[in-house]
């Protein structure tokens, strides 16, 4: 609601025939209250700001914002209702050499816009303030001066009211969470059971067939690749490509409008997004957003002027200290947001709170989060951004996931984020890939990653759940491609295969790409099952990349950021072709869900739980049944081991304060190229073991039963999971 003290009718001014009251500086953006709309825009450098109301026929009405408080230019317009399209013209210095790029010939988008409408005319030069050769040194006299109003998108006033129907967040704890990384369009664009008009949209993602698929898997949270309003990169469009991934944000409070099924209706993306969240919550599935607060879509000094650059360039961006005409780039995209400026920090925090309070999302995954930690140059985990998040009563209570690296010096920060945060564990990804492709000297590292990476997180008071475990994600090979290609094949991206990661830690199992060789195909299928088993039975919070449960392939392309096509979309026919893999994924997720020993909230201790007891929580065993020695860990050739997980040694209460007691398991890992006979440990560990999962079987089924001291054949490159059926009274978990 607007502050009535600031919008008294007695202060009313007519501007172009439109009634204008002083309004309020906060909240920023356009805020409809049922009677009119308050507009507020921050610019420290502006000398004049005009609010431009755009009619359906393109007619523009300019209204001078005469009230300025704390560098926020504002007015309240009675009678302005949802659906009104608008923009801003900001007057001030155009002096690139000093870091200023105000240009009133550009109709600028609202940084706090909650919806956008229209398209960018990417072929029109009016979106650019200067000729490229003048971008660093030009003055106001060098402005192209062409008006961009007819060639840019427009901000839209929204109706904030929505019937949430008693919606609530599932608020599922991390140790019960299984994340599914997905793309709104990629998940639904080719689904035959979704109506064609809903494919590629929020409504399509909320369709019962998608929710039923996630529920049947056992997924508890869907992590959406960027849905903040983003720009289609001009260079890509010129090549007939598109910015499919969406890491090119300019609207931090607006859902991307191309994902609405009613794009002709301004602000429909807002209500459709909310309905999608409501549908997921009704099925107890959380919604996490992949957010890009490290850079914007305006790019480097040669990029278009569509919003921040023309409003207050030096406030919103990190400028090069030795040449403010250029941008400091920690992201590889041309610019970096200036997290040192209070108004830029405010934009980020206001955006986060808005998505939680108004859009009901359950958490965020922060793209290139190390950029947000840079106070000056170095990464500082105590930077102002993290202080703000820590004390915020709303943002601090949702899931916060860091991608703990950027492309700048010292940007790789896995394990170094504050205690409130979880992290994409890049070391987990690399280690699991190396182990299953047969790299030497990986056993010790593999054991650490399997048990929650205490070496990374315990020293900061965090628990295993801080490790977001993943082996594949949107960036890189799919799971099927990880076991089918040694090299990337990104020719379709138009960069001569130079883009994308070259060191993938992948193994093609003997042939590059598709093959009719039955043995290689069987090995690849088994390797996929091995990796899924490792991922889902590791301590920490697992994340699956969408389509890996179906064997989705991108034909060896490990960087489909620009491929908005069937190459990147989910091929749902694979649900039939690879039904065994789908059934296997369900089986192993169910095993994790049903047994808390695979999702402990505290790290293993590897010693008796309490004084006087001889009950180990974990033990590492060789294939001969004895405990691993230092020599066993240090052997460069060792690729096989077993881990004993004591369900009676969890030693942590459940959420009701009751002691957790679970079944006890033995997991036999064999990454060798030949079968190995594992000797079951002595009766102190257990009298009899029953097979519950075997990756040698297409669906994971196992009927094996073996006694203490008996032999268990474990196939080449496979995993067998056994459950203890009986235990002796004198068992001490040592062997």
């Amino acid at each position: 609601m607007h502050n009535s003290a600031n919008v008294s009718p007695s202060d009313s001014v007519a501007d172009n025939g439109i009634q204008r009251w002083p309004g309020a500086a906060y909240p920023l953006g356009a805020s409809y209250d049922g009677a009119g709309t308050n507009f507020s825009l921050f610019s420290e450098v502006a000398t004049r700001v005009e609010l431009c109301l755009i009619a359906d026929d393109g007619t523009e009405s300019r209204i001078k914002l005469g009230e300025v408080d704390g560098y926020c230019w504002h007015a309240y317009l009675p009678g302005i209702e949802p659906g009104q399209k608008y923009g801003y013209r900001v007057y001030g210095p155009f002096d690139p050499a000093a870091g200023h790029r105000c240009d009133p010939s550009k109709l600028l988008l609202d940084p706090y816009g909650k919806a956008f409408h229209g398209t960018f005319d990417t072929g029109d030069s009016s979106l650019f303030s200067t000729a490229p050769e003048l971008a660093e040194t030009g003055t106001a006299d060098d402005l192209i001066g062409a008006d961009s109003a007819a060639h840019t998108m427009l901000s839209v006033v929204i109706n904030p009211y929505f019937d949430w129907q008693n919606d609530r967040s599932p608020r599922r704890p991390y140790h019960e969470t299984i994340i599914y990384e997905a793309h709104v369009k990629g998940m639904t664009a080719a689904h035959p059971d979704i109506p064609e008009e809903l494919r590629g949209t929020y409504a399509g993602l909320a369709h019962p067939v998608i929710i039923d698929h996630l529920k049947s898997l056992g997924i508890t949270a869907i992590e959406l690749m960027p849905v903040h309003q983003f720009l289609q990169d001009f260079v890509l469009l010129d090549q007939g490509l598109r910015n499919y991934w969406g890491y090119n944000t300019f609207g931090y409070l607006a859902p991307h409008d191309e994902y609405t099924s009613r794009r002709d209706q301004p602000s429909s993306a807002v209500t459709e997004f909310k309905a999608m969240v409501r549908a997921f919550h009704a099925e107890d599935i959380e919604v996490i957003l992949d957010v890009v607060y490290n850079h914007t879509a305006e790019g480097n000094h040669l990029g278009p002027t569509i919003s921040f650059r023309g409003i207050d360039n030096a406030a919103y961006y990190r400028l090069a200290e030795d040449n403010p005409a250029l941008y400091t780039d920690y992201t590889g995209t041309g610019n970096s947001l200036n997290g040192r400026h209070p108004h830029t920090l405010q934009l980020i925090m206001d955006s986060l709170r808005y998505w939680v309070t108004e859009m009901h999302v359950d958490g965020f995954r922060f793209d290139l989060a190390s950029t947000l930690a840079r106070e000056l140059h170095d990464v500082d985990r105590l930077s102002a951004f993290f202080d703000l998040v820590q004390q915020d009563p709303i943002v601090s209570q949702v899931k916060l996931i860091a991608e703990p690296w950027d492309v700048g010096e010292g940007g790789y920060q896995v394990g170094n984020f504050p205690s409130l945060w979880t992290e994409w564990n890049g070391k987990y990804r690399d280690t699991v890939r190396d182990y299953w492709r047969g790299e030497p000297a990986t056993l010790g590292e593999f054991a650490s990653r399997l048990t929650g990476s205490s070496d990374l997180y315990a020293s900061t008071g965090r628990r295993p759940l801080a490790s977001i475990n993943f082996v594949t994600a949107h960036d890189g090979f799919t799971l099927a491609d990880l076991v089918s290609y040694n090299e990337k094949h990104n020719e379709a991206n138009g960069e001569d295969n130079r883009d994308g990661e070259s060191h993938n830690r992948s193994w093609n199992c003997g042939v590059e790409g598709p093959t009719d060789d039955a043995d290689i195909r069987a090995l690849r299928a088994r390797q996929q099952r091995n990796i899924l088993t490792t991922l889902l039975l590791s301590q920490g919070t697992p994340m699956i990349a969408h389509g890996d449960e179906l064997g989705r392939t991108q034909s060896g392309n490990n960087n489909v950021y620009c491929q908005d096509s069937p190459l990147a979309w989910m091929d749902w026919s694979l649900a039939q072709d690879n039904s065994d893999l789908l059934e296997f994924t369900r089986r192993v997720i169910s095993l994790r869900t049903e047994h808390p020993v695979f999702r402990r909230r505290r790290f293993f201790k590897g010693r008796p739980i309490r004084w006087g007891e001889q009950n180990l929580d974990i033990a590492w065993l060789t294939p001969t049944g004895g405990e691993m020695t230092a020599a066993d860990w240090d052997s460069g050739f060792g690729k096989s081991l077993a881990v004993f997980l004591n369900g009676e040694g969890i030693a942590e209460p459940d959420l009701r304060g009751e002691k957790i007691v679970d079944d006890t398991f033995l997991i036999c890992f064999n990454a060798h190229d030949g079968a190995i006979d594992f000797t079951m440990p002595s009766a102190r560990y257990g009298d009899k073991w029953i097979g519950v999962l075997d990756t040698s079987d297409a669906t994971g089924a196992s009927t094996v039963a073996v006694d203490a001291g008996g032999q268990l054949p474990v196939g080449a490159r496979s995993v067998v999971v056994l459950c203890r059926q009986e235990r002796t009274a004198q068992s001490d978990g040592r062997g």
Side-chain angles (χ1 to χ4, degrees), residues 367-374 379 403-406 410-413 417:
D367 178 65
L368 300 181
S370 292
T371 300
L372 296 171
R374 292 183 183 272
V379 175
E403 182 185 32
W405 49 77
D406 63 20
Y412 191 78
Q413 292 291 318
F417 275 68

Side-chain angles (χ1 to χ4, degrees), residues 360-389:
H360 287 207
V361 304
D362 306 284
F364 306 94
R365 177 266 188 190
F366 292 78
D367 178 65
L368 300 181
S370 292
T371 300
L372 296 171
R374 292 183 183 272
E375 281 284 80
L376 297 173
H377 172 73
D378 294 333
V379 175
D380 178 6
R381 65 177 181 166
L382 299 179
S383 70
F385 170 70
F386 295 112
D387 291 342
L388 288 173
V389 170

